[in-house]
Amino acid sequence: MNTDFDSAAHRRMVTKAIAAVSVLFGLACKSGDPPVQGDAGIAAPASVSAATVDPAILAYAQHQIDLAYAGTDRDPPTSAPRPTPGKNVWIISPSEMGDSASVATNAAKQAGEAVGWKMTLYDAKGDPSNFSNGLRQAIAAKADGVILHAIDCAWVKQPLVEARAAHVKTVAYLALDCDDPSVKGEPLYSGMVNFGSQFGDYATLTRAWAAVKADWVIVQTQGHAKVLQFRQDELLVLKYIREGFEQELAKCKSCEVVKSVDFTISDWGPKLRQKAQGALLQHPEANAIHSPYDTPMLLGIASAIVDSGRNDQLAVIAGEAFPSNVQLIRDNKGQDAANAYPAEWMGYAAVDSLNSVFHGQKPQYAGIGYRLLDREHNMPALGKGYEPSRDFRAAYRRAWGLSR
């Protein structure tokens, strides 16, 4: 990315401004696992005039992305109840069209088959009304358990009640249960993938993950971010991603979101591309773009950025670092960074969580974190997507009593 604000001279100036605190942060992170987003080390800067850039915000944001470059993974489980073969398990996916769901759901299918379960993958094809249809089909098929990807309890509240009555166990990940403050109800899932004390709960992880993306934008624009944000609030996880990004960006008083572009799953493709094109035309002052996850980049946003002729003037960050998105980053084709998370690990953790529920236990801590990736940091091998620092596949197989 070649921009006026990203010149070598300007970057040297900013480096000098934060050098002292960066050295201290580097020493703090050399032993053991790195602290998570928001750990003590440097406080968020106080409010300053929007006309100036506070050097403290640049130091703060640089510290946060340095932690994220190091990664926040922890060790996967080392033991688990022995899975009972022959279980009938369904996976409900919101849409298998993009990697954002299909990578994790297919990993869950693979992991379930490895422990001897009969696995059925149901594709809702981007239609939220199919979320309930899929769960009810699983109940009718006398499923023992159902894994739901990124489907909030609020979307399937009545079918979850029906599943409980039919003694069908349900586990969700990348989703929020009905006891979430946005819903204010009672929990209906049998279990959720456990992110442990590192983040406390999934909503906290989601906001922390998104905050890193805002910090990256702040650093890339040297505190002058004018962001086009793509907003998809139809799922709580995506709402919390947006909130995490906005709350962190607000710490930079010389930064702002100049437009939020609303879209839904049904917009993927030409309609989303048109929305991106329109936003770029309406906001020539924009110098950064935030997408809540990777799939929208491949299905409209990235091509609009390249066609606009402004690709090298925009700092663009998206989601999970799947192979096709990593290639966009490598080739400078409309995406510059991703706060990578291990989608396949999520699928394995979902199977482990359901196995725990089958045995009357709470899901155990999965160890899943994230790692910031851009053209200069943590790039996977050619043709590959992000791989975490831990060998979660081997760890789970050992925990389940399987040969490697």
Side-chain angles (χ1 to χ4, degrees):
M1 187 170 56
N2 298 314
T3 60
D4 292 339
F5 56 72
D6 199 29
S7 67
H10 200 163
R11 293 179 71 176
R12 284 195 297 271
M13 178 181 69
V14 174
T15 299
K16 290 178 181 179
I18 65 176
V21 290
S22 294
V23 168
L24 292 175
F25 299 150
L27 291 173
C29 293
K30 284 182 180 178
S31 61
D33 286 309
V36 300
Q37 172 79 8
D39 274 0
I42 183 168
S47 298
V48 295
S49 168
T52 62
V53 178
D54 182 358
I57 186 60
L58 296 178
Y60 166 80
Q62 184 68 54
H63 171 49
Q64 298 302 91
I65 67 172
D66 284 345
L67 295 179
Y69 283 137
T72 63
D73 292 339
R74 301 296 193 266
D75 290 332
T78 56
S79 63
R82 182 63 62 92
T84 303
K87 295 289 188 182
N88 178 14
V89 175
W90 282 50
I91 304 165
I92 311 298
S93 169
S95 174
E96 289 294 283
M97 185 175 179
D99 286 345
S100 291
S102 64
V103 171
T105 55
N106 280 282
K109 185 173 185 293
Q110 179 186 61
E113 289 171 345
V115 301
W117 296 348
K118 178 186 175 184
M119 304 296 293
T120 300
L121 177 55
Y122 176 90
D123 183 2
K125 300 184 183 300
D127 182 352
S129 68
N130 284 332
F131 301 166
S132 293
N133 292 339
L135 186 47
R136 287 190 168 115
Q137 285 187 33
I139 296 168
K142 300 189 182 304
D144 296 296
V146 180
I147 294 169
L148 295 95
H149 174 104
I151 297 175
D152 298 319
C153 171
W155 282 103
V156 288
K157 188 172 182 178
Q158 183 54 38
L160 284 173
V161 172
E162 296 165 16
R164 180 176 291 180
H167 305 289
V168 178
K169 303 299 184 182
T170 55
V171 163
Y173 62 95
L174 304 184
L176 286 305
D177 210 338
C178 281
D179 61 343
D180 184 81
S182 295
V183 182
K184 298 179 180 177
E186 296 297 322
L188 291 176
Y189 280 116
S190 306
M192 309 285 283
V193 170
N194 180 1
F195 294 95
S197 60
Q198 181 182 193
F199 297 103
D201 57 36
Y202 180 60
T204 301
L205 165 60
T206 300
R207 291 189 177 99
W209 181 75
V212 166
K213 299 199 283 179
D215 291 319
W216 183 87
V217 165
I218 291 168
V219 170
Q220 290 297 308
T221 61
Q222 300 304 303
H224 291 287
K226 307 294 181 184
V227 184
L228 289 177
Q229 176 169 232
F230 285 81
R231 179 172 62 191
Q232 186 186 354
D233 279 5
E234 60 186 330
L235 300 176
L236 277 176
V237 57
L238 300 178
K239 178 176 180 286
Y240 290 162
I241 290 172
R242 175 182 59 77
E243 289 177 353
F245 181 90
E246 291 175 350
Q247 289 164 6
E248 191 75 354
L249 191 74
K251 295 174 183 177
C252 173
K253 303 307 178 183
S254 51
C255 302
E256 64 177 317
V257 174
V258 296
K259 182 176 179 60
S260 290
V261 183
D262 290 309
F263 74 102
T264 65
I265 293 175
S266 62
D267 291 332
W268 287 354
K271 190 172 181 180
L272 179 57
R273 181 175 178 175
Q274 289 171 5
K275 288 187 174 186
Q277 289 172 331
L280 286 163
L281 284 171
Q282 293 164 15
H283 292 278
E285 78 279 17
N287 59 13
I289 288 179
H290 171 233
S291 172
Y293 56 107
D294 269 351
T295 296
M297 298 304 302
L298 295 168
L299 299 178
I301 299 174
S303 58
I305 291 170
V306 172
D307 290 347
S308 73
R310 294 167 59 192
N311 183 45
D312 289 339
Q313 284 74 51
L314 294 164
V316 184
I317 190 164
E320 308 95 324
F322 294 117
S324 296
N325 294 86
V326 170
Q327 197 62 45
L328 289 180
I329 295 170
R330 178 174 279 110
D331 294 342
N332 191 24
K333 294 293 186 182
Q335 184 172 342
D336 299 305
N339 197 12
Y341 82 80
E344 289 187 69
W345 190 344
M346 198 77 69
Y348 274 69
V351 167
D352 188 65
S353 299
L354 184 57
N355 179 51
S356 293
V357 169
F358 282 151
H359 285 82
Q361 300 178 11
K362 292 183 178 180
Q364 56 184 336
Y365 176 35
I368 296 170
Y370 53 74
R371 179 172 296 217
L372 184 60
L373 178 158
D374 58 29
R375 223 165 280 122
E376 288 76 39
H377 302 87
N378 299 323
M379 283 294 283
L382 190 65
K384 301 292 185 179
Y386 169 67
E387 275 290 328
S389 59
R390 270 68 167 179
D391 187 350
F392 64 91
R393 299 176 188 85
Y396 278 116
R397 291 183 67 86
R398 285 193 298 269
W400 297 333
L402 305 178
S403 59
R404 293 191 58 132

